Structure formats: structure tokens, C-alpha cells
Coordinates of all heavy atoms in Angstrom, one line a residue:
M1 N 6.5 8.4 -41.6 CA 7.6 7.9 -40.8 C 8.8 7.5 -41.7 O 8.5 7.0 -42.8 CB 7.0 6.8 -39.9 CG 8.2 6.1 -39.2 SD 8.0 4.7 -38.1 CE 6.3 4.3 -38.2
I2 N 10.0 7.6 -41.2 CA 11.2 7.2 -41.9 C 11.9 6.2 -41.0 O 12.1 6.4 -39.9 CB 12.2 8.4 -42.2 CG1 11.4 9.4 -43.0 CG2 13.4 7.9 -42.8 CD1 12.2 10.6 -43.2
K3 N 12.2 5.0 -41.6 CA 12.9 4.0 -41.0 C 14.2 3.7 -41.8 O 14.2 3.7 -43.0 CB 12.1 2.7 -40.9 CG 10.8 2.8 -40.1 CD 10.0 1.6 -40.2 CE 10.3 0.6 -39.1 NZ 9.4 -0.5 -39.1
R4 N 15.2 3.4 -41.1 CA 16.5 2.9 -41.8 C 16.4 1.3 -41.9 O 16.2 0.7 -40.8 CB 17.7 3.3 -41.1 CG 18.2 4.7 -41.2 CD 19.5 4.9 -40.8 NE 19.9 6.3 -40.7 CZ 21.1 6.7 -40.7 NH1 22.1 6.0 -40.6 NH2 21.3 8.1 -40.7
E5 N 16.6 0.8 -43.1 CA 16.6 -0.6 -43.3 C 17.6 -0.9 -44.4 O 17.5 -0.4 -45.5 CB 15.2 -1.0 -43.7 CG 14.2 -1.1 -42.6 CD 12.8 -1.6 -43.1 OE1 12.8 -2.1 -44.3 OE2 11.9 -1.6 -42.4
A6 N 18.6 -1.8 -44.0 CA 19.5 -2.3 -45.0 C 20.0 -1.1 -45.9 O 20.1 -1.4 -47.1 CB 18.8 -3.4 -45.9
G7 N 20.6 -0.1 -45.3 CA 21.2 0.9 -46.1 C 20.3 1.9 -46.8 O 20.7 2.6 -47.6
R8 N 19.0 1.8 -46.6 CA 18.0 2.7 -47.2 C 17.2 3.4 -46.2 O 17.1 3.0 -44.9 CB 17.0 1.8 -47.9 CG 17.6 0.9 -49.0 CD 16.5 0.0 -49.5 NE 15.8 -0.5 -48.4 CZ 15.0 -1.6 -48.4 NH1 14.9 -2.3 -49.4 NH2 14.3 -2.0 -47.3
F9 N 16.6 4.6 -46.5 CA 15.7 5.3 -45.8 C 14.2 4.9 -46.3 O 14.0 5.3 -47.4 CB 15.9 6.8 -45.9 CG 17.3 7.2 -45.3 CD1 18.4 7.2 -46.1 CD2 17.4 7.4 -43.9 CE1 19.6 7.6 -45.5 CE2 18.7 7.7 -43.4 CZ 19.7 7.9 -44.2
V10 N 13.5 4.1 -45.5 CA 12.2 3.7 -46.0 C 11.0 4.7 -45.6 O 11.0 4.9 -44.3 CB 11.9 2.3 -45.5 CG1 10.5 1.8 -46.0 CG2 13.0 1.3 -46.0
I11 N 10.4 5.2 -46.4 CA 9.3 6.1 -46.1 C 8.0 5.2 -45.9 O 7.6 4.6 -46.8 CB 9.0 7.2 -47.1 CG1 10.3 7.9 -47.4 CG2 8.0 8.1 -46.6 CD1 11.0 8.5 -46.3
E12 N 7.3 5.4 -44.7 CA 6.1 4.5 -44.5 C 4.9 5.5 -44.4 O 5.1 6.5 -43.6 CB 6.2 3.7 -43.3 CG 7.3 2.6 -43.5 CD 7.4 1.7 -42.3 OE1 6.9 2.0 -41.2 OE2 7.9 0.6 -42.5
G13 N 3.9 5.3 -45.0 CA 2.7 6.1 -44.9 C 2.6 7.1 -46.0 O 3.2 7.0 -47.0
P14 N 1.7 8.2 -45.8 CA 1.5 9.2 -46.8 C 2.6 10.2 -46.9 O 3.3 10.6 -45.9 CB 0.2 9.8 -46.4 CG 0.1 9.7 -44.9 CD 0.8 8.3 -44.6
I15 N 2.8 10.7 -48.1 CA 3.5 12.0 -48.3 C 2.6 13.0 -48.9 O 2.3 12.9 -50.1 CB 4.8 11.7 -49.3 CG1 5.6 10.6 -48.8 CG2 5.5 13.0 -49.4 CD1 6.8 10.3 -49.7
T16 N 2.0 13.7 -48.1 CA 1.0 14.7 -48.5 C 1.3 16.1 -47.8 O 2.2 16.2 -47.0 CB -0.4 14.2 -48.1 OG1 -0.5 14.1 -46.7 CG2 -0.8 12.8 -48.8
F17 N 0.4 17.0 -48.2 CA 0.7 18.4 -47.6 C 0.6 18.2 -46.0 O 1.3 19.0 -45.3 CB -0.5 19.2 -48.0 CG -0.4 20.7 -47.5 CD1 0.6 21.5 -48.1 CD2 -1.2 21.1 -46.5 CE1 0.7 22.8 -47.6 CE2 -1.1 22.5 -46.1 CZ -0.1 23.3 -46.6
A18 N -0.2 17.4 -45.5 CA -0.3 17.2 -44.1 C 0.9 16.6 -43.4 O 1.2 16.9 -42.2 CB -1.6 16.4 -43.7
S19 N 1.7 15.8 -44.1 CA 2.8 15.1 -43.5 C 4.2 15.6 -44.0 O 5.2 15.3 -43.4 CB 2.7 13.6 -43.9 OG 2.8 13.3 -45.2
V20 N 4.2 16.4 -45.1 CA 5.5 16.7 -45.6 C 6.5 17.5 -44.8 O 7.7 17.3 -44.8 CB 5.3 17.4 -47.0 CG1 4.9 18.8 -46.8 CG2 6.6 17.3 -47.9
R21 N 6.1 18.4 -44.0 CA 6.9 19.1 -43.2 C 7.7 18.3 -42.2 O 9.0 18.3 -42.0 CB 6.3 20.3 -42.4 CG 7.2 21.2 -41.7 CD 6.5 22.3 -41.1 NE 6.0 23.3 -42.0 CZ 6.7 24.2 -42.6 NH1 8.0 24.3 -42.2 NH2 6.3 25.1 -43.5
A22 N 6.9 17.4 -41.5 CA 7.5 16.4 -40.5 C 8.5 15.5 -41.3 O 9.6 15.3 -40.7 CB 6.5 15.7 -39.8
L23 N 8.1 15.1 -42.4 CA 9.0 14.1 -43.2 C 10.3 14.8 -43.6 O 11.4 14.3 -43.6 CB 8.3 13.6 -44.4 CG 7.3 12.5 -44.1 CD1 6.5 12.1 -45.3 CD2 8.0 11.2 -43.6
L24 N 10.2 16.1 -44.0 CA 11.3 16.8 -44.6 C 12.4 17.0 -43.4 O 13.5 16.6 -43.6 CB 10.9 18.3 -45.0 CG 12.0 19.2 -45.3 CD1 12.8 18.7 -46.5 CD2 11.5 20.5 -45.6
E25 N 11.9 17.4 -42.2 CA 12.9 17.6 -41.1 C 13.4 16.2 -40.5 O 14.6 16.1 -40.3 CB 12.1 18.3 -39.9 CG 11.8 19.7 -40.4 CD 13.0 20.6 -40.9 OE1 14.1 20.4 -40.4 OE2 12.8 21.2 -41.9
A26 N 12.6 15.2 -40.4 CA 13.0 13.9 -40.0 C 14.1 13.3 -41.0 O 15.1 12.7 -40.6 CB 11.8 13.0 -39.9
G27 N 13.8 13.5 -42.2 CA 14.8 12.9 -43.3 C 16.0 13.7 -43.3 O 17.1 13.2 -43.4
R28 N 16.0 15.0 -43.1 CA 17.2 15.9 -42.9 C 18.0 15.4 -41.8 O 19.2 15.2 -41.9 CB 16.9 17.3 -42.9 CG 16.6 17.9 -44.2 CD 16.2 19.3 -44.1 NE 16.2 19.9 -45.4 CZ 15.6 21.1 -45.7 NH1 15.1 21.9 -44.6 NH2 15.6 21.6 -46.9
R29 N 17.4 15.1 -40.7 CA 18.2 14.6 -39.5 C 18.8 13.3 -39.7 O 19.9 13.0 -39.4 CB 17.2 14.6 -38.2 CG 16.9 15.9 -37.6 CD 16.2 15.8 -36.3 NE 15.0 14.9 -36.3 CZ 13.8 15.4 -36.6 NH1 13.5 16.7 -36.9 NH2 12.7 14.6 -36.7
E30 N 18.0 12.3 -40.3 CA 18.5 11.0 -40.6 C 19.6 11.1 -41.6 O 20.7 10.5 -41.4 CB 17.4 10.1 -41.0 CG 16.4 9.7 -40.1 CD 17.0 8.7 -39.1 OE1 17.8 7.9 -39.4 OE2 16.5 8.8 -37.9
M31 N 19.5 11.9 -42.7 CA 20.4 11.8 -43.8 C 21.7 12.6 -43.4 O 22.8 12.3 -44.0 CB 19.7 12.4 -45.0 CG 18.7 11.5 -45.5 SD 17.8 12.2 -46.9 CE 16.3 11.1 -46.9
A32 N 21.6 13.5 -42.4 CA 22.8 14.1 -41.8 C 23.9 13.2 -41.3 O 25.0 13.5 -41.2 CB 22.4 15.3 -41.0
T33 N 23.4 12.1 -40.9 CA 24.3 11.0 -40.2 C 24.7 10.0 -41.2 O 25.4 9.1 -40.9 CB 23.5 10.3 -39.1 OG1 22.4 9.6 -39.6 CG2 23.0 11.3 -38.1
C34 N 24.3 10.2 -42.5 CA 24.6 9.1 -43.5 C 25.9 9.6 -44.2 O 26.1 10.6 -44.7 CB 23.5 9.1 -44.5 SG 23.8 7.9 -45.8
D35 N 26.9 8.7 -44.3 CA 28.2 9.0 -44.9 C 28.2 8.7 -46.3 O 28.9 9.2 -47.2 CB 29.2 8.2 -44.2 CG 29.5 8.6 -42.8 OD1 29.3 9.9 -42.6 OD2 30.0 7.8 -41.9
G36 N 27.4 7.6 -46.7 CA 27.4 7.1 -48.1 C 26.3 7.7 -48.8 O 25.7 8.7 -48.6
E37 N 25.9 6.9 -49.8 CA 24.7 7.3 -50.7 C 23.4 7.3 -49.8 O 23.2 6.5 -49.0 CB 24.6 6.2 -51.8 CG 23.4 6.5 -52.7 CD 23.3 5.5 -53.9 OE1 23.5 4.3 -53.6 OE2 23.0 5.9 -55.0
V38 N 22.7 8.4 -50.1 CA 21.3 8.5 -49.6 C 20.4 7.7 -50.5 O 20.2 8.1 -51.6 CB 20.9 9.9 -49.4 CG1 19.4 10.0 -49.0 CG2 21.8 10.5 -48.3
R39 N 19.8 6.6 -50.1 CA 18.8 5.9 -50.9 C 17.5 5.9 -50.2 O 17.3 5.3 -49.1 CB 19.3 4.3 -51.0 CG 20.7 4.3 -51.7 CD 21.3 3.0 -51.7 NE 20.4 1.9 -52.1 CZ 20.4 0.7 -51.7 NH1 21.3 0.4 -50.8 NH2 19.5 -0.1 -52.1
V40 N 16.5 6.5 -50.8 CA 15.1 6.7 -50.3 C 14.2 5.7 -51.0 O 14.0 5.7 -52.2 CB 14.7 8.1 -50.5 CG1 13.3 8.3 -50.1 CG2 15.6 9.1 -49.9
D41 N 13.7 4.7 -50.2 CA 12.8 3.7 -50.6 C 11.4 4.2 -50.5 O 10.9 4.4 -49.3 CB 13.1 2.5 -49.9 CG 12.4 1.3 -50.4 OD1 11.2 1.5 -51.1 OD2 12.8 0.1 -50.2
L42 N 10.6 4.3 -51.6 CA 9.2 4.8 -51.4 C 8.2 3.5 -51.6 O 6.9 3.8 -51.8 CB 9.0 5.7 -52.6 CG 9.7 7.0 -52.5 CD1 9.4 7.9 -53.6 CD2 9.7 7.7 -51.2
S43 N 8.6 2.4 -51.4 CA 7.8 1.1 -51.6 C 6.6 1.1 -50.6 O 5.6 0.4 -50.9 CB 8.5 -0.1 -51.6 OG 9.2 -0.2 -50.3
R44 N 6.7 1.7 -49.5 CA 5.7 1.7 -48.4 C 4.9 3.0 -48.3 O 4.2 3.2 -47.3 CB 6.3 1.3 -47.1 CG 6.9 0.0 -47.1 CD 7.4 -0.4 -45.8 NE 8.4 -1.6 -45.9 CZ 9.4 -1.8 -45.0 NH1 9.5 -1.2 -44.0 NH2 10.1 -2.9 -45.3
V45 N 5.0 3.8 -49.4 CA 4.2 5.0 -49.3 C 2.7 4.7 -49.6 O 2.5 4.0 -50.6 CB 4.8 6.0 -50.4 CG1 3.8 7.2 -50.6 CG2 6.1 6.6 -49.8
T46 N 1.7 5.2 -48.8 CA 0.5 4.8 -49.0 C -0.4 5.8 -49.8 O -1.4 5.4 -50.4 CB -0.3 4.6 -47.6 OG1 -0.1 5.8 -46.9 CG2 0.4 3.5 -46.9
E47 N 0.2 7.0 -49.9 CA -0.5 8.1 -50.7 C 0.5 9.1 -50.9 O 1.4 9.4 -50.1 CB -1.7 8.7 -49.8 CG -2.4 9.8 -50.4 CD -3.4 10.4 -49.4 OE1 -3.5 10.0 -48.3 OE2 -4.0 11.4 -49.9
A48 N 0.4 9.7 -52.1 CA 1.3 10.8 -52.4 C 0.8 11.8 -53.3 O 0.0 11.4 -54.2 CB 2.6 10.2 -53.1
D49 N 1.0 13.0 -53.0 CA 0.6 14.2 -53.8 C 1.7 15.0 -54.3 O 2.9 14.5 -54.2 CB -0.5 15.1 -53.1 CG 0.0 15.7 -51.8 OD1 1.3 15.9 -51.8 OD2 -0.7 16.1 -51.0
S50 N 1.5 16.1 -54.8 CA 2.7 16.9 -55.4 C 3.8 17.2 -54.3 O 4.9 17.5 -54.8 CB 2.2 18.1 -56.1 OG 1.6 18.9 -55.2
T51 N 3.4 17.2 -53.1 CA 4.4 17.5 -52.2 C 5.5 16.5 -52.1 O 6.6 16.7 -51.7 CB 3.8 17.8 -50.7 OG1 3.1 16.5 -50.4 CG2 2.8 18.9 -50.8
A52 N 5.2 15.3 -52.5 CA 6.2 14.3 -52.5 C 7.4 14.6 -53.5 O 8.6 14.4 -53.1 CB 5.6 12.9 -52.9
V53 N 7.0 15.2 -54.6 CA 8.1 15.5 -55.5 C 9.0 16.7 -54.9 O 10.1 16.7 -55.0 CB 7.5 16.0 -56.9 CG1 8.5 16.5 -57.7 CG2 6.7 14.8 -57.5
S54 N 8.2 17.6 -54.3 CA 9.0 18.7 -53.6 C 9.9 18.2 -52.5 O 11.0 18.6 -52.4 CB 8.0 19.7 -53.1 OG 8.6 20.7 -52.3
L55 N 9.5 17.2 -51.7 CA 10.2 16.6 -50.7 C 11.5 16.0 -51.3 O 12.6 16.1 -50.8 CB 9.4 15.6 -50.0 CG 10.1 14.8 -48.8 CD1 10.5 15.8 -47.6 CD2 9.3 13.6 -48.4
L56 N 11.3 15.2 -52.3 CA 12.4 14.6 -52.9 C 13.5 15.6 -53.5 O 14.7 15.4 -53.4 CB 12.1 13.6 -54.0 CG 11.2 12.4 -53.6 CD1 10.6 11.5 -54.7 CD2 12.1 11.5 -52.6
L57 N 13.0 16.6 -54.1 CA 13.8 17.7 -54.6 C 14.6 18.4 -53.5 O 15.8 18.7 -53.6 CB 13.1 18.7 -55.4 CG 12.5 18.3 -56.8 CD1 11.6 19.2 -57.4 CD2 13.7 17.8 -57.6
H58 N 14.0 18.6 -52.4 CA 14.8 19.2 -51.2 C 15.8 18.3 -50.7 O 16.9 18.7 -50.5 CB 13.7 19.5 -50.0 CG 13.0 20.8 -50.1 ND1 13.5 22.0 -50.0 CD2 11.6 20.9 -50.5 CE1 12.5 22.9 -50.1 NE2 11.5 22.4 -50.5
W59 N 15.5 17.1 -50.6 CA 16.4 16.1 -50.1 C 17.6 16.0 -51.1 O 18.8 15.8 -50.7 CB 15.9 14.7 -49.8 CG 15.1 14.6 -48.6 CD1 15.1 15.6 -47.4 CD2 14.1 13.7 -48.1 NE1 14.3 15.2 -46.5 CE2 13.6 14.0 -46.9 CE3 13.6 12.6 -48.8 CZ2 12.7 13.2 -46.3 CZ3 12.6 11.7 -48.1 CH2 12.2 12.2 -46.9
L60 N 17.3 15.9 -52.5 CA 18.3 16.0 -53.5 C 19.2 17.1 -53.3 O 20.5 16.9 -53.4 CB 17.6 15.8 -54.9 CG 18.6 16.0 -56.1 CD1 19.6 14.8 -56.1 CD2 17.9 16.1 -57.3
R61 N 18.7 18.3 -53.1 CA 19.5 19.5 -53.0 C 20.4 19.4 -51.8 O 21.6 19.6 -51.7 CB 18.6 20.7 -52.8 CG 19.5 22.1 -52.7 CD 18.4 23.1 -52.5 NE 17.9 22.9 -51.1 CZ 16.8 23.4 -50.8 NH1 16.1 24.1 -51.6 NH2 16.3 23.2 -49.6
D62 N 19.9 18.8 -50.6 CA 20.6 18.7 -49.4 C 21.8 17.7 -49.7 O 22.9 17.9 -49.2 CB 19.8 18.2 -48.3 CG 18.7 19.2 -47.8 OD1 18.9 20.4 -48.1 OD2 17.8 18.8 -47.0
A63 N 21.5 16.6 -50.3 CA 22.5 15.6 -50.6 C 23.6 16.2 -51.5 O 24.8 16.0 -51.3 CB 21.9 14.4 -51.3
R64 N 23.3 16.9 -52.5 CA 24.3 17.6 -53.4 C 25.2 18.6 -52.6 O 26.3 18.5 -52.8 CB 23.6 18.3 -54.5 CG 23.0 17.2 -55.6 CD 22.5 17.9 -56.8 NE 22.2 16.9 -57.8 CZ 21.5 17.2 -58.8 NH1 21.1 18.5 -59.1 NH2 21.2 16.3 -59.8
R65 N 24.5 19.3 -51.7 CA 25.3 20.2 -50.9 C 26.4 19.5 -50.1 O 27.5 20.0 -49.8 CB 24.4 21.0 -49.9 CG 23.7 22.1 -50.6 CD 22.8 23.0 -49.7 NE 22.0 23.9 -50.3 CZ 21.0 24.4 -49.8 NH1 20.6 24.1 -48.6 NH2 20.2 25.4 -50.5
R66 N 26.1 18.3 -49.6 CA 27.1 17.5 -48.8 C 27.9 16.7 -49.7 O 28.8 15.9 -49.2 CB 26.3 16.6 -47.9 CG 25.6 17.3 -46.7 CD 25.1 16.4 -45.7 NE 24.6 15.1 -46.1 CZ 23.2 14.9 -46.4 NH1 22.3 15.9 -46.3 NH2 22.9 13.7 -46.8
G67 N 27.7 16.6 -51.1 CA 28.5 15.8 -52.0 C 28.2 14.4 -51.8 O 29.0 13.5 -52.0
T68 N 26.9 14.2 -51.5 CA 26.4 12.7 -51.2 C 25.5 12.3 -52.4 O 24.7 13.1 -52.8 CB 25.7 12.6 -49.9 OG1 26.4 13.1 -48.8 CG2 25.2 11.2 -49.7
A69 N 25.7 11.1 -52.9 CA 24.9 10.6 -54.0 C 23.5 10.4 -53.4 O 23.2 10.1 -52.2 CB 25.4 9.2 -54.5
F70 N 22.5 10.5 -54.3 CA 21.1 10.5 -53.9 C 20.4 9.6 -54.9 O 20.5 9.7 -56.1 CB 20.5 11.8 -53.9 CG 19.0 11.9 -53.5 CD1 18.7 11.9 -52.1 CD2 18.0 11.9 -54.4 CE1 17.4 11.9 -51.7 CE2 16.7 12.0 -54.0 CZ 16.4 12.0 -52.6
A71 N 19.6 8.6 -54.4 CA 18.7 7.7 -55.2 C 17.3 7.5 -54.7 O 17.1 7.4 -53.5 CB 19.5 6.4 -55.4
V72 N 16.4 7.5 -55.6 CA 15.0 7.1 -55.2 C 14.7 5.7 -55.7 O 14.9 5.4 -56.8 CB 14.0 8.2 -55.8 CG1 12.6 7.8 -55.4 CG2 14.3 9.5 -55.5
L73 N 14.3 4.9 -54.7 CA 13.9 3.5 -55.1 C 12.4 3.2 -54.9 O 11.7 3.9 -54.1 CB 14.6 2.5 -54.1 CG 16.1 2.7 -53.9 CD1 16.6 1.9 -52.7 CD2 16.9 2.5 -55.1
N74 N 11.9 2.4 -55.9 CA 10.5 2.0 -55.8 C 9.5 3.1 -55.7 O 8.7 3.1 -55.0 CB 10.3 1.1 -54.7 CG 11.3 -0.1 -54.6 OD1 11.4 -0.8 -55.6 ND2 12.0 -0.4 -53.5
P75 N 9.7 4.1 -56.6 CA 8.6 5.2 -56.5 C 7.2 4.8 -57.0 O 7.2 4.0 -58.0 CB 9.2 6.3 -57.5 CG 9.9 5.5 -58.5 CD 10.5 4.3 -57.7
P76 N 6.2 5.2 -56.3 CA 4.9 4.9 -56.9 C 4.6 5.6 -58.1 O 5.2 6.6 -58.3 CB 4.0 5.4 -55.7 CG 4.8 6.1 -54.7 CD 6.3 5.9 -55.0
Q77 N 3.7 5.1 -58.9 CA 3.4 5.6 -60.1 C 3.0 7.1 -60.0 O 3.3 8.0 -60.9 CB 2.3 4.9 -60.9 CG 1.9 5.4 -62.2 CD 3.1 5.4 -63.2 OE1 3.9 4.4 -63.2 NE2 3.2 6.4 -64.0
S78 N 2.3 7.5 -59.0 CA 1.8 8.8 -58.8 C 3.0 9.8 -58.7 O 3.0 10.9 -59.3 CB 1.0 8.9 -57.5 OG 1.7 8.5 -56.4
V79 N 4.1 9.4 -58.0 CA 5.3 10.3 -57.9 C 5.9 10.4 -59.2 O 6.4 11.5 -59.6 CB 6.1 9.8 -56.7 CG1 7.5 10.5 -56.7 CG2 5.4 9.8 -55.3
T80 N 6.1 9.3 -59.8 CA 6.8 9.2 -61.1 C 6.1 10.1 -62.2 O 6.7 10.9 -62.8 CB 7.0 7.8 -61.7 OG1 7.7 7.0 -60.7 CG2 7.6 7.8 -63.0
G81 N 4.8 10.0 -62.2 CA 4.0 10.7 -63.1 C 4.0 12.3 -62.8 O 4.1 13.1 -63.7
L82 N 3.9 12.7 -61.6 CA 4.0 14.0 -61.2 C 5.4 14.6 -61.5 O 5.5 15.7 -62.0 CB 3.7 14.3 -59.7 CG 2.2 14.1 -59.3 CD1 2.0 14.0 -57.8 CD2 1.4 15.3 -59.9
A83 N 6.4 13.8 -61.3 CA 7.9 14.3 -61.5 C 8.0 14.5 -63.1 O 8.6 15.4 -63.5 CB 8.8 13.3 -61.0
R84 N 7.4 13.7 -63.8 CA 7.4 13.8 -65.3 C 6.6 15.2 -65.7 O 7.1 15.9 -66.5 CB 6.8 12.6 -66.0 CG 7.8 11.5 -66.3 CD 7.2 10.5 -67.3 NE 7.2 9.2 -66.6 CZ 6.2 8.5 -66.3 NH1 5.0 8.8 -66.7 NH2 6.3 7.4 -65.6
V85 N 5.5 15.3 -65.2 CA 4.7 16.5 -65.5 C 5.4 17.7 -65.2 O 5.5 18.8 -65.9 CB 3.3 16.6 -64.8 CG1 2.7 17.9 -64.8 CG2 2.4 15.4 -65.3
Y86 N 6.2 17.7 -64.0 CA 7.0 19.0 -63.6 C 8.3 19.0 -64.3 O 9.0 20.0 -64.0 CB 7.2 19.0 -62.1 CG 5.8 18.9 -61.3 CD1 5.6 18.2 -60.2 CD2 4.8 19.8 -61.7 CE1 4.4 18.3 -59.5 CE2 3.7 19.9 -61.1 CZ 3.5 19.1 -59.9 OH 2.2 19.2 -59.3
G87 N 8.7 18.0 -65.0 CA 10.0 18.0 -65.8 C 11.2 17.7 -65.0 O 12.3 18.2 -65.3
V88 N 11.0 17.0 -63.8 CA 12.2 16.8 -62.9 C 12.4 15.3 -62.7 O 13.2 14.9 -61.9 CB 12.0 17.4 -61.5 CG1 11.8 18.9 -61.6 CG2 10.7 16.9 -60.8
A89 N 11.7 14.4 -63.5 CA 11.9 12.9 -63.3 C 13.3 12.6 -63.5 O 13.9 11.7 -62.8 CB 11.0 12.1 -64.3
E90 N 14.0 13.1 -64.6 CA 15.4 12.7 -64.8 C 16.3 13.2 -63.8 O 17.2 12.5 -63.4 CB 15.8 13.2 -66.3 CG 17.2 12.9 -66.7 CD 17.5 13.4 -68.0 OE1 16.6 13.7 -68.8 OE2 18.8 13.6 -68.3
M91 N 16.0 14.5 -63.3 CA 16.9 14.9 -62.2 C 16.9 14.0 -61.0 O 17.8 13.8 -60.3 CB 16.4 16.3 -61.8 CG 17.2 17.0 -60.8 SD 16.5 18.6 -60.3 CE 16.1 19.4 -61.8
L92 N 15.7 13.4 -60.7 CA 15.4 12.6 -59.6 C 15.8 11.1 -59.9 O 15.8 10.3 -59.1 CB 14.0 12.6 -59.0 CG 13.7 13.9 -58.4 CD1 12.1 14.0 -58.2 CD2 14.3 14.1 -57.1
G93 N 16.2 10.8 -61.1 CA 16.6 9.5 -61.5 C 15.4 8.5 -61.5 O 15.5 7.3 -61.4
L94 N 14.3 9.0 -61.8 CA 13.0 8.2 -62.0 C 12.8 7.7 -63.3 O 13.3 8.3 -64.3 CB 11.8 9.1 -61.5 CG 11.9 9.6 -60.1 CD1 10.6 10.4 -59.8 CD2 11.9 8.5 -59.0
P95 N 12.1 6.5 -63.5 CA 11.9 5.9 -64.7 C 11.2 6.9 -65.8 O 10.3 7.7 -65.4 CB 11.0 4.7 -64.5 CG 10.9 4.6 -63.0 CD 11.5 5.8 -62.4
D96 N 11.5 6.7 -67.1 CA 10.9 7.5 -68.1 C 9.3 7.1 -68.3 O 8.6 7.9 -68.7 CB 11.6 7.3 -69.4 CG 12.9 8.0 -69.4 OD1 13.1 8.9 -68.5 OD2 13.8 7.5 -70.1
A97 N 9.0 5.8 -68.2 CA 7.7 5.4 -68.5 C 7.0 4.6 -67.4 O 7.7 4.1 -66.6 CB 7.7 4.6 -69.7

């Protein structure tokens, strides 16, 4: 589920193969109405697999197409670690360590 809170898009629950398609579309709908920076807060993600990285890359691409800044906030270690393995952590603005 995606909720708007204090200028952020907060993802609640799992980001897994089972949930990623619905999250992708819901996020695209929400972010299409955003004029400023897209800030995705992952602090309430309960589980994440490699599809979480794919989801963030899709949203980053969408934001760039619209000329909108994109930021990932509070990524779980699992997402940061996978992004490092895939070589996209820097692209997503995720921490190095």
C-alpha cells in the first residue's frame, strides 16, 4: 500500500514478487499528480526482495521522464544490499555501506 504523508510516498507492507505489480501501478498514479520531488519512504516496508530494486528503478525512470527529482528515504538493509549487488545503489541515491 502507498500513503502520502508529509510530502512523501510511504510504502507499507511487503515489496515482493506478489505485490510489485500493484505497487508499480499505484505509485505511478500517485506520482503523476506530484509536482515537486518524488520522495519514497521505505521505513514501513515489512519484507523486500529483488523486485523492490526493480520497482524503484521503474519509478526513477518515470520521474526522470517527467523531469522530477526522485529520492529514496529509509531503505531497509535488504534493498540497499541488493541495489549494491546489482550496481545501482548510487543511481538510486542509496548509502554505500
